[in-house]
């Protein structure tokens, strides 16, 4: 399996099942999509901004729900295997992306696995090991590494725009590399005292041989 990134901003996602897993999926997708969760009961876990609709569709009614919501991705997270299997079939027939929470291992290309995610601003890490317990431990380690990276991504995106058209590519690359490798910059991120942008400017000036 290969990790690919999907831009689901502003798209609809339909989740069947309001248990712990359905809630987790709703929170994952509600970061950027319009999420509808259909379920007869809802756990007390957060559902983000998802819209919750109380209903218990039989397998025969699944297609009608999919056509009504018109999602790009459908999640089967009920504890009813027949419903989950129907969600899979209906989504596949329509060429939609889908995720079955009750299946692991080999799958069709439209059947996407949901990795564990670590996010900080525009920085996103997707992690899969095939063994959820191992995934969780590795995710916790990665969280520490990624902490602050979102702020650095925003700063360096701005820097890239500023350096573009002013310096040749090789010098721009050297300046950006010096910034993202700098311990001084990483220490200044989120400490609320140092001004990371000022440190970035100093490093760029040293690298490009200019006075700040
Ligand atoms: C294939 C996949 C589904 C997919 O394709 O999307 C899948 C499948 C299954 N998970 C099961 C069980 C558990 N999953 C978790 C947790 C997570 N599971 C997640 C992803 C995935 N799980 C996908 C591939 C992930 C990968 O490759 O690493 C994470 C990463 C993301 C998320 O779900 O949001 C999230 C960690 C979040 C984090 O901490 O970062 C826990 C722990 C808990 O809930 O606390 C348990 C109980 C303990 C245990 O069993 O280990 C079962 C058995 C169900 C049963 O027994 O009925 C199946 C089905 C099967 O194995 O057949
Ligand atoms: N991918 C993962 O990380 C994990 C996957 N699982 C699998 O995912 C399934 C769901 O897990 P949990 O959320 O823990 O189970 P759960 O039992 O807490 O939740 C199931 C939800 O489905 C709802 N439901 C039942 N019939 C429905 C229908 N016809 N239409 C819509 N909703 C319906 C229930 O009301 C309940 O809200 C499990 O059966 C298990 O196979 C379980 C743990 C982790």
């Amino acid at each position: 399996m290969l990790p690919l990134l999907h831009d689901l901003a502003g798209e609809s996602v339909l989740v069947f099942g309001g248990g712990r897993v359905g809630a987790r999926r709703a929170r994952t997708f509600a970061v950027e999509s319009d999420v509808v969760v259909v379920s007869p009961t809802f756990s007390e876990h957060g559902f983000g901004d998802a819209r919750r609709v109380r209903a218990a569709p039989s397998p025969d009614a699944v297609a009608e729900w999919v056509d009504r919501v018109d999602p790009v991705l459908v999640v089967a997270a009920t504890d009813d295997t027949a419903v989950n299997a129907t969600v899979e079939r209906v989504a596949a027939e329509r060429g939609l992306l889908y995720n079955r929470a009750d299946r692991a291992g080999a799958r069709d290309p439209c059947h996407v696995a949901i990795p564990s995610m670590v996010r900080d601003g525009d920085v996103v890490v997707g992690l899969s090991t095939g063994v959820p317990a191992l995934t969780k431990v590795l995710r916790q380690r990665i969280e520490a590494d990624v902490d602050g990276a979102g702020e650095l991504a925003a700063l360096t995106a701005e820097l890239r725009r500023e350096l573009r058209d002013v310096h040749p590519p090789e010098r721009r690359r050297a300046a950006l590399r010096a910034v993202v490798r700098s311990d001084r910059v990483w220490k200044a991120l989120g400490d609320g005292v140092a001004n990371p942008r000022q440190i970035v400017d100093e490093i760029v000036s040293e690298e490009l041989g200019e006075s700040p």
Side-chain angles (χ1 to χ4, degrees):
M1 273 196 269
L2 289 174
L4 302 171
L5 299 179
H6 293 274
D7 184 351
L8 299 183
E11 304 288 351
S12 294
V13 171
L14 174 59
V15 177
F16 289 91
R20 201 156 61 105
V21 177
R24 206 155 66 208
R25 295 283 180 273
R27 290 197 306 273
T28 296
F29 291 110
V31 169
E32 63 180 38
S33 307
D34 297 324
V35 181
V36 177
V37 186
V38 180
S39 183
T41 63
F42 293 94
S43 77
E44 70 285 6
H45 295 88
F47 285 79
D49 289 336
R51 189 152 64 86
R52 279 172 267 180
V53 182
R54 207 170 282 278
S58 65
D60 288 347
V62 165
E64 205 177 299
W65 277 97
V66 172
D67 292 335
R68 195 179 314 153
V69 176
D70 195 21
V72 294
L73 188 151
V74 190
V75 175
T78 80
D79 52 359
D80 183 328
T81 311
V83 172
N84 292 347
T86 308
V87 171
E88 170 169 14
R89 182 178 53 74
V90 166
E93 280 168 4
R94 285 158 180 71
L96 303 174
L97 297 173
Y98 62 96
N99 170 251
R100 269 191 80 167
D102 62 349
R103 285 287 179 278
R107 55 192 68 207
D108 294 330
C110 284
H111 182 178
V112 295
I114 312 296
S116 184
M117 291 180 215
V118 180
R119 240 176 212 293
D120 188 12
D122 281 349
V123 176
V124 58
V125 179
L127 177 67
S128 164
T129 69
V131 183
L134 174 60
T135 304
K136 190 168 181 172
V137 172
L138 286 175
R139 191 250 304 155
Q140 285 163 343
R141 289 193 203 168
I142 292 168
E143 265 167 1
D145 279 339
V146 168
D147 193 26
E151 189 184 351
L152 186 53
L155 270 176
T156 45
E158 193 180 286
L159 182 63
R160 278 185 87 203
R161 279 193 298 274
E162 290 168 9
L163 298 180
R164 192 171 292 159
D165 304 329
V166 181
H167 296 282
E170 199 39 58
R171 302 196 70 210
R172 288 201 309 254
R173 243 173 265 145
L176 279 163
R177 269 199 304 263
V179 168
V180 295
R181 286 179 180 171
S182 161
D183 288 340
R184 274 178 72 208
V185 171
W186 280 94
K187 280 207 189 83
L189 295 169
D191 82 348
V193 182
N195 178 350
R197 176 67 218 217
Q198 195 181 334
I199 298 172
V200 165
D201 287 344
E202 285 167 19
I203 291 167
V204 171
S205 302
E206 280 161 26
E207 194 60 39
L208 295 175
E210 297 163 354
S211 52

